[in-house]
Amino acid sequence: MYNFDVEKPGTIAEAAAAMGADEAQALGGGQTLIPTLKQRLASPSTLVSLRGVAEMQGITRDGDSLRIGGATTHAAVAADGSYPALSALAAHIGDPAVRNRGTIGGSLANNDPAACYPAAALASGATIVTNTREIAADDYFQGMFETALDEGEIITAVRFPIPQAAHYEKFVQPASRFALVGVFVAKFADGVRVAVTGASNEGVHRWAEAEAALSADFSAGAIDGLSVSADNLIADLHGSAAYRAHLVKVMTGRAVSAAS
Amino acid sequence: MPKDTGIGASTVRREDVRFLTGTGEYTDDIVLAKQTYAVFARSTVAHGTIKSIDTSAAEAMPGVLAVFTGEDFVEVGGNPAGWLINSRDGEPMKEPKRPVLAHGKVRHVGDAYAAVIAETIEQARDAVEAIEADIDELPAVVDMNDALSGSNFVHDEIETNQCFDWGWIEDNREATDNAIKNAHHVTTLELVNNRLVPNAMEPRASIGSYKASTGEYTLHTTSQNPHLTRLLISAFVLGIPENMLTVIAPDVGGGFGSKIYHYGEEALVLAAAKKLGRPVKWTADRTESFLTDAHGRDHVTKIELALDAEGNFLAFRTDTKANVGAYLSNFSTATPTFLHGTLMAGNYTVPLVYVNVKAVFTNTAPVDAYRGAGRPEATYSLERVIDKAARELGMDPIELRRKNFIKPDQYPYASAAGLEYDAGNYDALMDKMEEVADVAGFEARRQASEAKGLLRGFGVNAYIEACGIAPSNLVGVLGSRVGLYDAATVRVNATGNLSVMVGAHSHGQGHETAFPQVVAEMLGIDPAVIDIVHGDTSKIPFGMGTYGSRSLAVCGSAVVRATEKIINKAKKIAGHMLEASEHDITLSDGVFSVDGTDKSVTFGEVALKAYIPHEYPLEDIEPGLEETAFYDPANFTYPSGAYACEVEVDPDTGKVRVDRMTAVDDFGNVINPMIVTGQVHGGLAQGIGQALVENTSYDENGQLLSASYMDYTMPRADDMPMFAVDHSQGTLCTHNPLGVKGCGEAGAIGSPPTVVNAVIDALQSGGRNVTHIDMPVTPARVWDAMQNAK
Ligand SMILES: Cc1cc2nc3c(=O)[nH]c(=O)nc-3n(C[C@H](O)[C@H](O)[C@H](O)COP(=O)(O)OP(=O)(O)OC[C@H]3O[C@@H](n4cnc5c(N)ncnc54)[C@H](O)[C@@H]3O)c2cc1C
């Protein structure tokens, strides 16, 4: 690690101000950022810890919508249960240490192409709330590690519409146990949304053909006739693009079968 | 003697108190006064010419005390290979120098070319970044076939990438070729024994220190064999007289082979400590462990099995390329040869075996012995090709093996690969396995899996391995540059407690519990009064350390011999005390008594007499009660086993789940069944890891793609079923005093082919004509194989 200062703001306003410093960087749970610092791959001047920002903590339900503070840990979401598919997803991120520190804001800001939360946010049609604006999930994810966030912008909360039925099916990359392919299926009154993580060089994305088929018939068999193109899917030592394409379909079918 | 303490008792491991309470003392825990820190500059390219290294900026940085480069070590010796292999044409193997720090060229990613010593680790890291190294990248030699055919050499001075071309047994070559040519049936299999990163929980670490007033050096280091490390540093690398160098291996957090070897970092911290007059500590980070610990396995093999019409084995012929990486690590030449080729007859009465091994230099981390060392490679090749043959011939895989087993009345048995097996009963092991694994119930379980949409397969394996490599006279003829005895000193203290100094090193094996059980049984005393001392060359006799499942069979035998000497002397003392002939004295339950009388003295009274020798026959018996024995075995020991595995394969994803794993092993006499079971569990976990998940992957530029736990999969608890382990079928080793064999590696030797055989069976019985999948059998590979079989 290189040297850096740490700021511990108590409010969003203070946090935003601290982020104005040259080379400042937000610190959520540190589960991605701290290893990066240890390997000397980043050298921020100031880390702005969001842990003490009370407005960014906690989960509140408002009818069919769930608001999760940007600094809320995976463990807190896992324990909540108002949106069962989302809690189940959070319960399977990393290990207890990761879940007790890692935050939803950190995960969405990082937008790792194999992370789990991005699939939930995109399939649920969530809204990313920042210190300056609200961003629809469809506009937020812009490719591997790329998001609509501006320099210094802080995710203060995420709003999830709660679907009628949903499920996240994750086929783990065996080493990291991130998603080799993860599929989040969410059924709303006006249709089904399907988001795929882990598979694509372009990061999390929706599978439009499956959404159409499942909106007409919400059963695993509805996607039988579909096939997923391997074009632009990730190929690495854990699996070829063709294998990932195959898994997208298998995981989608399983997610539909398990959705509740 | 209650059986809850001596030989055969599952005594709880006394060392676990400190390990489980966080009070173990590992090398990195040790803080010496005025200690400084070393950090290495390591190559980021796999192959390159060092044009210049400018250390001036680094030297000027805060806290920096010294910077070393390869230039500083040109005068000192190379780190040698411990075993000379001659090629088939009689030429000795190629032995390019392995320097302390790379000089002239860097040869693998992670190869250290400079080191900074500073007041703090962070200062040393900062300074390493300030070293300006001009390294001209060269094309990397990664693939073994390319290495052998091309003219791009890892070591230019030897003008080849072939280290040796070894034939075993060369005199059998022609007969084997003929047998294969004329056989009724030949089964051929090409397979890869995948490279593994050892991943000891504790990374390597070393502290060098030097006392200018006396010229004495001390090295605290993560070693499985401190005397061997001292010998290598003294006799080959730095030339420090052995009596001026103490090597201490304190608690060591796992080795699996990777901590047998001497590494350049150890020499560097010693040399730096002398230069600075202050201790120098280095602790590897996890990335350094991935890049620079000696890796394991990495064989590419073609094996052929010739059979007659009845299924009798006629010959095995193997063609193997063994990757030795960029430099020869200390046992890298023994592992693919004498620890591999000699096992290629397996448990079978096959009359002919021929093995050809070409060892190949590549721009990758050095490869050396890793848990099992050569025997897993042999077992994997044999047991996979036998399984394939059974399928081709439509024979039951268990019956085919039984048909060719050496039978109990055939011992001692001279195997076609040149070993003399002393004892075994492979049918008894197979019988027991069939019972424990409930082979009869498999079909019902298969149908239950099928009902869930899963393919269930059954895999079997029979292995033999060789532990406690010996005798020194023989291995000397075969090329070993060291002896392979071990040593123990039993010191009875005046008040009746004992210190037993042993040459074996315990880094997870439980010696501190098991060795006292042996001594306590022999003396009839409470093991709690017996303490094991190991790991410090200034305290223990010269022993060869722990590897190759040798500790109990070799060092334990030395302990027995030394204890026998203690008993003999104690009887003399007791005879004097009891006014009887030593020949009339019997030792039982810690009491010496005169046969046919009620006269007796306790072991404690004799000990006291030895150290306070009043009224003592000083003219006949020396005071004191301390004895040393060196033990050089007459032969290897030959553990064997029958293993079974059941897997479920998800045909939609290719995911394999191990559902049942049965290990029935013949370890001879078992001293502590709980420790033995634990050793088997660990071996099984590593074997299942190799079979299913561990994937060491270099790209064509020699970059290690799986250089962290984000990409290198370790087997985890939830990858394992509950293991069924049985060692009730032991046949005693005939040539060591305890009748023991060795259990440390068996699990890792026996399990990989068992698992892969089960996967192939699952796919075959599920109607997919897949005959082989290389390890690790990942979901992606299973899926690919199913696609290709369509
Ligand atoms: C062993 C391990 C296993 C894991 N397994 C999984 C898994 O299975 N699935 C999965 O999805 N993830 C997994 N993760 C990642 C984990 O979920 C992390 O928590 C997450 O990626 C980052 O969240 P964090 O709060 O720790 O963010 P940090 O590491 O603190 O920050 C990450 C990035 O986000 C920025 N940031 C943080 N908070 C905010 C905010 N509120 N607003 C704007 N920017 C912000 C930081 O500046 C930084 O750039 C794993 C991590 C580890 C270490």
Side-chain angles (χ1 to χ4, degrees):
Chain A
M1 269 189 208
Y2 298 105
N3 282 339
F4 52 80
D5 294 324
V6 179
E7 293 284 345
K8 293 182 176 166
T11 65
I12 292 173
E14 285 171 19
M19 287 293 289
D22 204 29
E23 305 279 324
Q25 190 168 6
L27 175 68
Q31 295 304 294
T32 298
L33 185 52
I34 299 292
T36 312
L37 296 178
K38 279 189 177 170
Q39 290 176 53
R40 296 188 157 208
L41 294 173
S43 52
S45 62
T46 307
L47 289 187
V48 180
S49 171
L50 303 172
R51 217 179 158 72
V53 180
E55 306 154 77
M56 288 175 61
Q57 290 285 352
I59 304 168
T60 44
R61 182 162 184 166
D62 178 11
D64 280 344
S65 164
L66 200 63
R67 181 191 176 280
I68 302 176
T72 306
T73 62
H74 308 332
V77 176
D80 180 67
S82 330
Y83 182 172
L86 187 67
S87 293
L89 172 150
H92 289 93
I93 293 176
D95 48 44
V98 170
R99 294 195 288 275
N100 282 316
R101 295 218 63 106
T103 67
I104 191 168
S107 177
L108 293 175
N110 195 47
N111 192 22
D112 187 301
C116 301
Y117 268 132
L122 189 59
S124 306
T127 303
I128 317 298
V129 183
T130 77
N131 56 320
T132 57
R133 58 185 169 144
E134 299 199 345
I135 311 169
D138 281 317
D139 302 325
Y140 176 82
F141 298 103
Q142 303 192 345
M144 277 195 183
F145 300 107
E146 296 287 333
T147 70
L149 290 178
D150 289 331
E151 188 81 24
E153 194 171 358
I154 299 168
I155 298 178
T156 56
V158 188
R159 260 199 336 265
F160 284 91
I162 300 177
Q164 294 168 342
H167 185 76
Y168 177 61
E169 191 74 22
K170 173 181 178 180
F171 191 82
V172 297
Q173 191 262 53
S176 70
R177 296 199 175 176
F178 276 66
L180 187 71
V181 168
V183 177
F184 201 108
V185 171
K187 177 176 185 288
F188 293 93
D190 59 353
V192 174
R193 291 171 65 105
V194 177
V196 178
T197 188
S200 171
N201 284 317
E202 283 162 18
V204 66
H205 62 276
R206 290 170 66 182
W207 183 14
E209 292 88 343
E211 292 185 349
L214 291 167
S215 295
D217 169 16
F218 194 67
S219 74
I223 60 165
D224 275 351
L226 303 184
S227 71
V228 180
S229 162
D231 290 352
N232 214 10
L233 296 194
I234 297 170
D236 59 16
L237 70 153
H238 305 291
S240 62
Y243 180 57
R244 280 184 167 84
H246 169 77
L247 283 181
V248 169
K249 185 169 163 182
V250 174
M251 292 302 119
T252 304
R254 290 184 182 182
V256 171
S257 298
S260 56
Chain B
M1 188 72 211
K3 262 305 146 198
D4 55 348
T5 55
I7 289 177
S10 282
T11 307
V12 170
R13 299 201 334 164
R14 57 172 76 167
E15 47 268 77
D16 286 345
V17 174
R18 67 178 193 278
F19 296 149
L20 297 178
T21 57
T23 50
E25 188 172 68
Y26 298 86
T27 299
D28 191 60
D29 294 326
I30 294 167
V31 177
L32 300 181
K34 300 178 78 186
Q35 172 177 292
T36 65
Y37 296 87
V39 172
F40 288 83
R42 297 188 181 276
S43 179
T44 56
V45 300
H47 196 190
T49 306
I50 302 174
K51 300 189 75 180
S52 66
I53 301 177
D54 182 351
T55 60
S56 53
E59 278 160 35
M61 305 249 316
V64 173
L65 301 166
V67 181
F68 293 85
T69 67
E71 200 63 47
D72 297 305
F73 293 93
V74 259
E75 299 301 322
V76 312
N79 185 4
W83 202 299
L84 171 68
I85 299 298
N86 290 316
S87 287
R88 291 164 43 211
D89 60 8
E91 280 290 305
M93 67 187 190
K94 302 281 191 265
E95 294 186 75
K97 182 177 177 182
R98 184 181 188 190
V100 174
L101 290 172
H103 186 249
K105 266 173 91 169
V106 287
R107 295 186 174 85
H108 66 93
V109 172
D111 203 2
Y113 57 82
V116 172
I117 320 296
E119 297 284 353
T120 71
I121 294 183
E122 289 301 316
Q123 287 172 334
R125 286 208 177 110
D126 288 343
V128 162
E129 289 181 7
I131 294 175
E132 283 180 32
D134 183 5
I135 297 177
D136 235 9
E137 186 169 0
L138 298 167
V141 181
V142 180
D143 177 81
M144 286 196 277
N145 286 324
D146 294 349
L148 290 177
S149 60
S151 56
N152 179 16
F153 301 128
V154 178
H155 297 273
D156 302 304
E157 67 275 20
I158 60 172
E159 296 181 332
T160 173
N161 290 316
Q162 182 173 291
C163 175
F164 58 75
D165 174 2
W166 179 79
W168 187 257
I169 295 171
E170 198 57 26
D171 289 346
N172 288 352
R173 184 188 177 94
E174 218 179 282
T176 307
D177 289 349
N178 284 335
I180 286 173
K181 203 185 301 162
N182 302 323
H184 166 78
H185 184 85
V186 177
T187 297
T188 305
L189 185 59
E190 294 186 28
L191 49 84
V192 172
N193 205 294
N194 45 322
R195 180 187 277 242
L196 303 171
V197 179
N199 282 300
M201 204 181 286
E202 178 206 23
R204 288 191 293 118
S206 305
I207 313 172
S209 51
Y210 178 71
K211 213 190 239 176
S213 56
T214 60
E216 287 171 278
Y217 293 81
T218 302
L219 176 68
H220 288 84
T221 193
T222 48
S223 175
Q224 301 177 212
N225 30 243
H227 269 111
L228 199 60
T229 299
R230 191 183 71 173
L231 182 64
L232 289 164
I233 294 171
S234 293
F236 296 93
V237 183
L238 294 180
I240 301 168
E242 278 181 274
N243 59 359
M244 288 290 118
L245 174 59
T246 298
V247 176
I248 302 172
D251 283 330
V252 172
F256 311 113
S258 68
K259 292 172 182 167
I260 299 172
Y261 326 115
H262 166 56
Y263 292 85
E265 292 89 351
E266 293 170 324
L268 187 285
V269 295
L270 285 170
K274 179 175 187 190
K275 178 166 176 178
L276 298 175
R278 292 173 64 181
V280 178
K281 177 189 274 187
W282 166 74
T283 304
D285 62 25
R286 192 51 72 179
T287 307
E288 286 179 295
S289 302
F290 270 101
L291 296 177
T292 70
D293 287 0
H295 292 175
R297 317 275 194 260
D298 207 346
H299 284 196
V300 176
T301 292
K302 177 181 172 190
I303 180 163
E304 291 152 293
L305 163 58
L307 306 101
D308 69 15
E310 281 76 50
N312 295 304
F313 298 167
L314 304 177
F316 287 104
R317 181 169 66 189
T318 328
D319 195 337
T320 287
K321 292 183 192 74
N323 200 336
V324 291
Y327 300 100
L328 292 184
S329 175
N330 301 136
F331 287 110
S332 59
T333 54
T335 302
T337 53
F338 288 101
L339 296 176
H340 163 244
T342 54
L343 272 304
M344 286 305 297
N347 316 34
Y348 307 108
T349 54
V350 61
L352 287 166
V353 168
Y354 181 74
V355 180
N356 178 236
V357 179
K358 294 184 178 71
V360 186
F361 289 107
T362 58
N363 292 119
T364 62
V367 180
D368 206 328
Y370 168 80
R371 199 171 194 167
R375 293 99 83 206
E377 293 89 322
T379 300
Y380 185 68
S381 300
L382 287 172
E383 294 297 313
R384 283 288 302 123
V385 80
I386 292 170
D387 230 60
K388 189 169 181 229
R391 210 169 284 289
E392 287 175 358
L393 296 174
M395 288 185 71
D396 177 79
I398 293 179
E399 286 319 308
L400 180 59
R401 287 175 170 87
R402 283 184 185 274
K403 190 178 185 64
N404 289 280
F405 274 164
I406 299 160
K407 299 296 174 197
D409 60 4
Q410 290 179 281
Y411 295 97
Y413 185 84
S415 91
L419 296 177
E420 186 179 285
Y421 302 161
D422 62 335
N425 188 342
Y426 311 138
D427 278 307
L429 294 167
M430 199 59 101
D431 292 344
K432 190 71 186 177
M433 181 284 283
E434 292 199 51
E435 173 199 325
V436 176
D438 181 29
V439 174
F442 171 72
E443 186 50 33
R445 291 190 293 276
R446 198 188 64 72
Q447 285 172 16
S449 297
E450 199 174 76
K452 291 185 289 179
L454 300 173
L455 310 176
R456 181 176 284 262
F458 176 82
V460 64
N461 163 56
Y463 79 87
I464 183 162
E465 64 130 336
C467 299
I469 176 172
S472 295
N473 278 330
L474 174 66
V475 297
V477 172
L478 298 180
S480 172
R481 289 163 169 163
V482 291
L484 286 160
Y485 49 85
D486 218 287
T489 298
V490 177
R491 176 180 297 156
V492 182
N493 297 313
T495 51
N497 50 48
L498 281 75
S499 304
V500 180
M501 281 64 78
V502 294
H505 186 276
S506 189
H507 37 276
Q509 293 85 352
H511 298 171
E512 293 170 34
T513 302
F515 285 2
Q517 288 181 249
V518 172
V519 178
E521 175 95 16
M522 292 178 71
L523 298 178
I525 61 175
D526 182 355
V529 305
I530 305 168
D531 189 39
I532 297 297
V533 178
H534 64 94
D536 182 337
T537 59
S538 68
K539 294 181 179 163
I540 60 172
F542 194 113
M544 300 307 293
T546 290
Y547 43 83
S549 303
R550 70 193 300 276
S551 296
L552 187 60
V554 186
C555 190
S557 297
V559 170
V560 170
R561 292 285 183 251
T563 306
E564 284 168 355
K565 292 186 190 179
I566 291 286
I567 293 171
N568 288 342
K569 181 169 178 185
K571 279 186 178 173
K572 281 190 192 154
I573 299 170
H576 168 75
M577 292 168 78
L578 297 169
E579 294 174 333
S581 158
E582 65 192 82
H583 305 294
D584 296 333
I585 305 281
T586 303
L587 171 62
S588 172
D589 285 346
V591 176
F592 296 92
S593 45
V594 183
D595 298 345
T597 74
D598 59 358
K599 291 203 291 183
S600 67
V601 284
T602 65
F603 182 77
E605 288 167 330
V606 172
L608 196 64
K609 181 61 98 181
Y611 286 93
I612 307 178
H614 299 162
E615 296 170 52
Y616 190 94
L618 290 167
E619 59 287 357
D620 296 330
I621 314 174
E622 290 173 13
L625 196 49
E626 171 168 331
E627 298 288 351
T628 294
F630 283 74
Y631 182 84
D632 201 291
N635 191 353
F636 289 98
T637 66
Y638 298 100
S640 58
Y643 281 25
C645 176
E646 285 181 32
V647 299
E648 280 183 335
V649 179
D650 180 341
D652 292 330
T653 62
K655 170 99 182 127
V656 175
R657 189 180 71 82
V658 178
D659 187 51
R660 297 164 72 93
M661 188 82 211
T662 304
V664 177
D665 296 282
D666 173 358
F667 295 134
N669 195 10
V670 171
I671 305 300
N672 183 319
M674 180 201 69
I675 290 179
V676 168
T677 301
Q679 289 288 306
V680 175
H681 283 185
L684 292 175
Q686 273 173 303
I688 291 172
Q690 167 164 32
L692 294 182
V693 298
E694 295 191 44
N695 191 359
T696 309
S697 181
Y698 282 95
D699 72 10
E700 69 276 13
N701 300 316
Q703 294 293 334
L704 183 59
L705 299 175
S706 48
S708 82
Y709 294 127
M710 294 303 278
D711 285 300
Y712 189 91
T713 312
M714 294 297 287
R716 300 181 208 192
D718 64 358
D719 293 318
M720 304 295 149
M722 293 305 284
F723 299 131
V725 173
D726 180 286
H727 25 78
S728 65
Q729 302 303 306
T731 60
L732 296 187
C733 169
T734 59
H735 57 79
N736 65 38
L738 291 167
V740 296
K741 295 184 178 175
C743 66
E745 296 158 295
I749 294 167
S751 53
T754 321
V755 173
V756 177
N757 288 346
V759 173
I760 299 302
D761 184 59
L763 296 176
Q764 289 275 350
S765 64
R768 277 76 167 181
N769 188 24
V770 174
T771 55
H772 180 67
I773 303 175
D774 275 325
M775 300 188 291
V777 181
T778 60
R781 287 186 179 179
V782 174
W783 185 77
D784 279 346
M786 287 193 296
Q787 299 308 298
N788 295 334
K790 266 181 186 165

